[in-house]
Amino acid sequence: MRFKDVFSIIGPAMVGPSSSHTAGAARIGRSARHLLGAPPAKADVAFYGSFAATYAGHGTDVAIIGGILDFLTDDPRIPDAIRLAEEIGIEVNFREGRGLYPHPNTARVKLVSAAGESIEAVGISIGGGNIEIVEINGFRVKMTAIYPTLVLFHADLPGVIADITGELKEEHSNIGYMSVDRKSRSGDALTVIELDTEITTDMLNQLGKVHAIQSIRVVDITDKFSMVKKLQSPEEGPKGAEENEVSPSE
């Protein structure tokens, strides 16, 4: 694993005690919250390996819920995050995960919104507060959440990746890293793109013209920006504009 700067080793500003077990856990939780794109009504968290053995003592449980509440790693409310989540009606459940896991510091987070939408993400904390999201809704991907990130659910059709990257080129946006997985040939696919530039509404509107894209999620845990864009299918009319939705015409 190559670290990009000294802060990747010593960790971010944070509520302690551990950059891996608290700061990393908070960033996993925030990534899952941004992937859901809406306030969660329920959070189910499974811890594996070292996380499972020490989460109560190291504050991994409060940190990951703090992230789900969209708290930064140094937010002083993190120690009270479970209580705060329950006070606003979020059902919180923890369990020890079973089976194989990719890293000693692994968490599987499933979030469900009040509208019944859900996201399930597997994140690993690799040291210094750095994380990788290695699975999203069953797709095997890699997302570091260091940069503004597009998460695109789409059909596995010829030319889709070219269409996506072509739109990003038109927006003068450079791709730092891209990860693609699919469930089956010509089935559902997921593309994760980390960008060097801000993700704008214009960019999302241009990507909305790619007919194979089913939905777009934006993960940017470097600031408070969070957005979900849902696209209407060719058979359906425009969907209602919810809190974190942007219609193609906006």
Side-chain angles (χ1 to χ4, degrees):
M1 173 60 62
R2 291 195 311 164
F3 294 106
K4 299 182 183 298
D5 52 51
V6 67
F7 297 104
S8 298
I9 301 172
I10 65 175
M14 65 177 182
V15 174
S18 168
S19 61
S20 294
H21 284 235
T22 47
R27 297 186 75 237
I28 291 170
R30 271 196 95 197
S31 296
R33 166 66 178 263
H34 285 219
L35 285 167
L36 181 65
K42 183 178 181 180
D44 290 318
V45 180
F47 291 121
Y48 297 81
S50 179
F51 268 7
T54 64
Y55 72 86
H58 282 177
T60 310
D61 49 356
V62 294
I64 205 162
I65 298 301
I68 289 168
L69 292 174
D70 213 17
F71 294 170
L72 297 171
T73 56
D74 61 349
D75 195 304
R77 295 172 293 175
I78 282 179
D80 299 315
I82 296 174
R83 176 181 60 81
L84 293 172
E86 291 173 343
E87 285 179 355
I88 60 175
I90 300 176
E91 179 185 339
V92 177
N93 299 298
F94 297 105
R95 63 182 176 86
E96 183 175 341
R98 303 293 181 186
L100 299 176
Y101 49 89
H103 188 276
N105 299 331
T106 297
R108 178 179 294 272
V109 182
K110 182 176 181 181
L111 301 180
V112 182
S113 72
E117 297 185 342
S118 64
I119 197 81
E120 188 166 350
V122 176
I124 61 175
S125 180
I126 60 175
N130 295 282
I131 67 164
E132 291 179 6
I133 301 298
V134 296
E135 183 181 313
I136 300 172
N137 283 5
F139 293 100
R140 293 183 179 181
V141 294
K142 177 181 176 182
M143 183 182 83
T144 67
I146 295 174
Y147 304 102
T149 303
L150 288 165
V151 179
L152 304 108
F153 296 86
H154 59 88
D156 178 42
L157 297 174
V160 175
I161 301 300
D163 289 342
I164 292 169
T165 56
E167 294 295 350
L168 294 176
K169 178 183 177 182
E170 291 297 317
E171 293 294 313
H172 306 287
S173 184
N174 189 56
I175 296 173
Y177 182 82
M178 183 166 68
S179 177
V180 183
D181 192 24
R182 65 182 184 180
K183 294 291 181 68
S184 62
R185 181 180 297 181
S186 300
D188 292 329
L190 181 68
T191 296
V192 174
I193 303 176
E194 298 185 345
L195 298 174
D196 292 334
T197 54
E198 179 185 359
I199 298 170
T200 65
T201 300
D202 287 343
M203 182 188 297
L204 294 175
N205 285 336
Q206 289 301 112
L207 288 168
K209 298 177 182 179
V210 180
H211 74 280
I213 293 179
Q214 299 154 352
S215 68
I216 301 174
R217 308 293 171 97
V218 173
V219 178
D220 190 344
I221 63 172
T222 63
D223 55 30
K224 286 295 183 183
F225 178 76
S226 179
M227 183 179 293
V228 176
K229 181 180 184 185
K230 292 200 171 168
L231 306 175
Q232 66 186 77
S233 69
E235 297 79 20
E236 296 176 342
K239 297 181 180 179
E242 300 295 337
E243 179 183 4
N244 291 310
E245 295 180 1
V246 179
S247 68
S249 62
E250 291 182 346

